[in-house]
Amino acid sequence: MPHTRRLAALLAAAAPLAAPLARPLAAQTADRVTLRGRDVAVYDPAGRVRLVAGDGADVTVEVTRGGRDAARLRVQTADDGRALVVVPPDGADLVYPALGRWSRTTVRLRRDGTFDDRGGGGGMFSRDGLTVRGTGDGTEAWADLVVSVPRGARVAVHVGAGAAEASNVDGDLTFRLQAAEARTERTRGRLLVDAGSGAVRVRDAEGDAVTLDTGSGAVEVQGVRAGRLRIDTGSGSARGADVTADRLEFDAGSGSARFERVRARTVRLDTGSGSVDVELLDDVDELRADTGSGGVTLRVPATLGAALDVDTGSGSIQVDGPVTDVTRRERDHLTGRLGDGRGRVVIDTGSGGVRLLRGR
């Protein structure tokens, strides 16, 4: 019994010392951080960032670390508390299995752990480049973030490798991604997605401007209502449906585009190589389509009125319905008028046929 009492006394004395050691260990697996102001940013070199609607007045971030070396990641704030930064250990590469077995990317970190998309952020204030790979030697660690966004806030998300998502958020969102995919649904407000590589999918978005830019990766949109919808891909196709915009723009180095059920006053489509297929539900003020190599198909309402100018380097021209006031009709060139001629349709292909199909 005396030995039992002495052991109990020793354990009781050690408890206050053990507790402080346990708290940092727990903090390495989950944190909750409140950011200052309503114009904030988060930086995550590897992991998945998910934006959800927030109930309170502030932007809060829940951080969950993963991987066998999760405890080596630090979470800190920058920019006077307006930014949350996940900081890897100095001199260590990160292993993030979700990136894929043979995949890797390099993130150029600033000294405070922040970075720009596509490896930017170097210069005199930079640290050495951080390599994130799917397998191999290095620190196996990543951080998944859940960002609660109150209505009207502005949030910029920076991800080196992983993914970024948003659902049911009413605010201005910016995604700057390096080797990461993006997915949004039911968002209200300005939306900008700039991805180095990775697919971009946007569903049910409404705002003054929706801008989707990817170096390599496909873009899919559905149910977008915007003052301006701009899609820019270095190499990657674009598909869209149920788009309503004052201005629709698509620009690709190489990649095809197909848009169904479009209502837009101005449409600009430009691709170095790739076909274009667009279905219009209403008249347009102006539509211009330019392909280096690739055919163009326009599906338009029977009531469309526009001055028409079609030029193909090599390829046939097919126009359903009457074309009046024809000033030039050749195998590779046609100018004339559709309906009342109030709008303007200009199509130019280096190689590829043109079809203008009119509905009933």
Side-chain angles (χ1 to χ4, degrees):
M1 185 67 69
H3 294 291
T4 303
R5 285 196 298 269
R6 283 197 296 271
L7 179 58
L10 289 172
L11 291 174
L17 298 176
L21 296 177
R23 281 194 293 269
L25 182 61
Q28 293 298 319
T29 57
D31 289 287
R32 184 178 178 86
V33 179
T34 298
L35 298 179
R36 290 174 132 187
R38 296 171 65 83
D39 187 353
V40 303
V42 296
Y43 295 83
D44 191 356
R48 183 176 295 270
V49 179
R50 184 162 61 96
L51 276 61
V52 299
D55 296 329
D58 299 315
V59 176
T60 61
V61 186
E62 181 179 313
V63 184
T64 302
R65 300 173 178 85
R68 64 171 179 265
D69 301 313
R72 299 190 64 193
L73 293 179
R74 290 186 293 113
V75 176
Q76 63 187 38
T77 59
D79 193 18
D80 294 328
R82 289 189 293 267
L84 179 139
V85 186
V86 178
V87 183
D90 287 338
D93 293 339
L94 292 182
V95 177
Y96 180 47
L99 186 59
R101 183 175 179 82
W102 306 111
S103 299
R104 61 186 292 170
T105 189
T106 300
V107 182
R108 183 69 65 181
L109 301 177
R110 300 188 182 95
R111 290 178 181 173
D112 62 0
T114 63
F115 56 91
D116 290 332
D117 61 316
R118 304 189 186 184
M124 66 182 295
F125 299 108
S126 67
R127 299 169 52 182
D128 292 337
L130 169 72
T131 299
V132 183
R133 55 170 60 91
T135 57
D137 296 332
T139 301
E140 184 184 290
W142 61 89
D144 294 334
L145 313 182
V146 178
V147 184
S148 296
V149 183
R151 184 175 181 179
R154 300 177 62 185
V155 180
V157 174
H158 302 254
V159 178
E165 305 172 0
S167 60
N168 300 306
V169 174
D170 186 346
D172 293 346
L173 306 181
T174 299
F175 289 176
R176 298 198 180 275
L177 317 174
Q178 189 163 320
E181 64 179 14
R183 184 188 300 268
T184 72
E185 59 180 2
R186 298 185 299 278
T187 60
R188 301 293 181 267
R190 287 178 174 266
L191 175 63
L192 167 63
V193 178
D194 188 352
S197 62
V200 177
R201 297 177 177 86
V202 173
R203 182 184 296 269
D204 188 9
E206 182 175 346
D208 292 340
V210 175
T211 304
L212 312 174
D213 189 336
T214 176
S216 62
V219 176
E220 296 181 15
V221 298
Q222 184 170 358
V224 173
R225 299 168 299 284
R228 180 186 184 190
L229 170 60
R230 176 172 176 79
I231 300 173
D232 194 333
T233 70
S235 61
S237 61
R239 294 181 63 89
D242 302 313
V243 172
T244 301
D246 293 335
R247 187 178 184 91
L248 167 63
E249 300 177 11
F250 170 73
D251 192 343
S254 63
S256 60
R258 181 179 177 87
F259 295 99
E260 301 175 82
R261 301 183 296 278
V262 172
R263 301 179 189 272
R265 303 308 305 174
T266 301
V267 180
R268 296 286 181 90
L269 309 162
D270 192 336
T271 176
S273 62
S275 62
V276 170
D277 189 328
V278 178
E279 177 191 17
L280 297 177
L281 296 183
D282 287 336
D283 281 6
V284 293
D285 293 335
E286 182 182 52
L287 182 147
R288 291 182 178 270
D290 190 338
T291 69
S293 61
V296 175
T297 299
L298 291 184
R299 308 170 194 276
V300 302
T303 57
L304 177 71
L308 178 66
D309 189 346
V310 180
D311 191 354
T312 69
S314 62
S316 61
I317 299 174
Q318 173 191 344
V319 178
D320 285 354
V323 180
T324 61
D325 295 339
V326 175
T327 58
R328 182 175 179 182
R329 186 188 293 271
E330 300 174 8
R331 181 195 61 81
D332 59 356
H333 203 136
L334 173 64
T335 58
R337 189 183 74 184
L338 299 171
D340 59 20
R342 291 182 179 179
R344 182 168 177 79
V345 172
V346 179
I347 303 172
D348 191 343
T349 70
S351 62
V354 175
R355 296 191 305 158
L356 197 154
L357 309 177
R358 303 181 73 173
R360 297 185 182 275

